[in-house]
Amino acid sequence: MSQNKVIIVGAGAAGMTAAIFAAREGAQVVLLEHKDRVGKKILSTGNGRCNLSNRLQEPFCYRSGQPDFPWKALGAFTLPMTLEYFEDLGVLTRERDGYLYPYSGQASAVLDALRLGLARESVQVVTECEVFSITPREDAKHRFEVKTSQGSFSGETLILACGSKAAPGTGSDGSGYKLAKRLGHHIIKPLPALVQLRCPEKFFKQLAGVRADASVILYSDGRKLAEDKGEVQLTDYGISGIPVFQISRFAARALDEGRDVRVVLNFYPECPETETRRILKERSERLKERQVEDFFSGWIHKKLAALFLKQAGIRPDRTVGSLTEAQIQTLGDLLCRFEVSVNGTNSFEQAQICCGGVDVREVDAQTMESKKVKGLYFAGEILDVDGICGGYNLQWAWSSGAAAGKCAGRGQINDTSKSGKTAGQPQ
């Protein structure tokens, strides 16, 4: 029996994992990468420490146009399997509040382990290799012919793991979407996700540099889309920080659809709003001899306090005891319901990930095989799946890469275009 040949386009986290698992199935694997080296994006993850996964694994941690798809796919390669995979590669992990990192705290250690894994499995790695075209040939000996700047490659199965458009300097330039589209797949418009939000209000220039714990609620046309809480960073152009990143994909999609988008910030999320207003009233009585400019001293940032007074039309040289009930109410509104408009996101260059990509309705959730082209598989960011902050996008890369690699490596072809049947779940 001849050895199955697998071609993988894209040598990021998903592509390298797919290559290792395909080779373990006995396939001859060639891994094509258009940058000068593999895995560049891994080095920037987790602030250089590589947050490779998370103990908390729930459906809400993954987003998609088809919400059930990611969770079904993750069932084929779970977190325990991921940890076993990395232990086999020589990577020990440590946990910090559920976040999982290599024990050395170095993203480079993860990349080195993956590279050694590729070498151990005799995967042929071709760098600086730009893909020009992919031709499916159903009746030929080799089902796919891939023409590149480094020559032509032929194989029975093909995996596209080309990444998204986020952080293009690391190799994710969107080229994979074009290849998938030429092969007949529909692309959900990619938009920046896990990214900062831009706001038009002029007062942000005076708030630049402020960090504050806050809850962040996103609204579009009056309907709540998402919420999160944590440390928010105020910048000269708008809002940033992990809770902003978590809601940003929903803001990006609503903005792209031309809808009105707003964010409401609560700068004292520890208490219910009624309790916060009671504290404000009690504070105004306790500190009635103070000047108003010092009313929030010891509670919130001075820049925020100054803005609240300006927004409320209260002179800072007044005494706290002179504030009216209505003015205290207004300050409470600003503290608990500070509303800003959102008119954009930062660009793909600043985004950690994209929302959008290959429409997962056209992909088998267990095998990652195309339902439109036999022998074609997908893995990683190229698909319309994105995770929240905390290691979930790398978990998606490992899980989808392993599933695609196992099935492609076996030469396991589904005739879904005719029968609608799918192959069994990877073991």
Side-chain angles (χ1 to χ4, degrees):
M1 183 176 178
S2 62
Q3 189 177 29
N4 180 36
K5 293 183 178 179
V6 180
I7 303 169
I8 301 173
V9 182
M16 286 188 284
T17 297
I20 289 169
F21 276 95
R24 288 178 180 178
E25 294 294 331
Q28 179 183 338
V29 182
V30 58
L31 180 60
L32 310 179
E33 169 56 45
H34 68 166
K35 302 296 284 187
D36 60 351
R37 54 197 170 109
V38 301
K40 288 185 73 172
K41 194 170 184 179
I42 290 175
L43 296 176
S44 63
T45 59
N47 292 319
R49 293 182 297 152
C50 191
N51 177 199
L52 56 85
S53 191
N54 201 298
R55 284 287 180 195
L56 174 67
Q57 293 291 326
E58 296 289 345
F60 73 82
C61 301
Y62 301 89
R63 285 86 173 260
S64 172
Q66 301 299 310
D68 293 339
F69 180 89
W71 197 240
K72 288 179 181 177
L74 287 156
F77 193 75
T78 62
L79 175 61
M81 294 176 184
T82 300
L83 297 179
E84 184 179 353
Y85 165 55
F86 278 106
E87 189 168 344
D88 185 61
L89 292 174
V91 178
L92 297 181
T93 58
R94 69 167 65 191
E95 179 181 337
R96 293 177 182 171
D97 299 324
Y99 290 53
L100 293 165
Y101 298 90
Y103 200 87
S104 66
Q106 295 175 296
S108 58
V110 175
L111 178 54
D112 288 344
L114 289 165
R115 292 170 67 181
L116 290 169
L118 294 172
R120 185 174 72 180
E121 303 296 343
S122 301
V123 173
Q124 180 186 357
V125 180
V126 185
T127 57
E128 298 182 288
C129 182
E130 183 181 353
V131 174
F132 298 140
S133 66
I134 297 173
T135 305
R137 303 179 303 179
E138 190 166 340
D139 298 326
K141 178 182 178 182
H142 295 141
R143 188 178 295 272
F144 296 95
E145 181 180 10
V146 182
K147 292 184 178 180
T148 79
S149 58
Q150 301 273 22
S152 294
F153 299 88
S154 297
E156 279 79 18
T157 52
L158 172 72
I159 301 174
L160 290 183
C162 316
S164 61
K165 294 180 74 173
T170 63
S172 298
D173 61 359
S175 57
Y177 300 137
K178 296 177 183 178
L179 296 174
K181 192 171 183 178
R182 289 176 195 156
L183 290 167
H185 276 271
H186 176 240
I187 307 299
I188 307 296
K189 184 177 179 179
L191 297 169
L194 298 188
V195 69
Q196 305 87 352
L197 297 181
R198 304 188 71 87
C199 305
E201 286 85 359
K202 294 181 180 179
F203 56 68
F204 275 103
K205 292 190 182 299
Q206 70 191 69
L207 296 177
V210 172
R211 293 171 180 260
D213 285 337
S215 66
V216 184
I217 306 177
L218 179 74
Y219 293 92
S220 175
D221 294 337
R223 182 170 63 92
K224 185 167 80 170
L225 297 184
E227 65 179 306
D228 207 282
K229 68 178 179 178
E231 186 180 75
V232 174
Q233 300 170 31
L234 305 180
T235 71
D236 60 352
Y237 58 78
I239 53 178
S240 182
I242 289 177
V244 174
F245 290 173
Q246 306 288 46
I247 66 169
S248 60
R249 65 106 64 202
F250 302 103
R253 192 62 68 191
L255 288 166
D256 187 65
E257 294 169 359
R259 291 188 272 147
D260 176 70
V261 178
R262 297 179 181 275
V263 163
V264 174
L265 300 164
N266 180 349
F267 289 106
Y268 196 58
E270 287 82 0
C271 288
E273 187 175 330
T274 53
E275 176 65 11
T276 301
R277 293 183 183 279
R278 185 196 65 76
I279 294 171
L280 270 172
K281 177 63 176 172
E282 182 182 283
R283 187 178 179 88
S284 69
E285 294 169 356
R286 187 187 299 271
L287 305 176
K288 61 184 178 181
E289 303 301 326
R290 279 190 185 181
Q291 288 190 315
V292 173
E293 64 181 350
D294 297 318
F295 179 51
F296 285 109
S297 181
W299 188 357
I300 63 173
H301 197 286
K302 284 186 176 182
K303 289 184 178 180
L304 272 176
L307 178 63
F308 290 171
L309 294 178
K310 185 176 180 180
Q311 295 269 312
I314 301 172
R315 291 199 331 269
D317 59 350
R318 288 179 53 182
T319 61
V320 172
S322 69
L323 293 176
T324 65
E325 290 280 349
Q327 287 171 327
I328 295 172
Q329 175 75 21
T330 299
L331 290 175
D333 291 341
L334 290 165
L335 181 65
C336 298
R337 300 181 187 177
F338 190 76
E339 183 175 308
V340 297
S341 302
V342 178
N343 62 356
T345 70
N346 273 358
S347 68
F348 288 111
E349 282 74 11
Q350 284 79 46
Q352 295 182 25
I353 198 74
C354 286
C355 62
V358 173
D359 191 337
V360 295
R361 289 175 294 185
E362 302 167 353
V363 179
D364 184 282
Q366 266 76 48
T367 65
M368 297 294 112
E369 187 179 5
S370 166
K371 295 179 180 179
K372 299 173 78 69
V373 181
K374 290 187 291 183
L376 170 64
Y377 296 79
F378 298 96
E381 293 180 30
I382 192 172
L383 290 157
D384 176 30
V385 175
D386 55 285
I388 64 174
C389 291
Y392 297 101
N393 288 293
L394 278 178
Q395 181 61 59
W396 173 247
W398 316 133
S399 293
S400 59
K406 285 180 181 182
C407 294
R410 295 171 189 159
Q412 192 170 322
I413 309 299
N414 301 340
D415 194 7
T416 54
S417 61
K418 294 180 181 179
S419 67
K421 297 178 181 179
T422 59
Q425 181 171 319
Q427 301 299 309

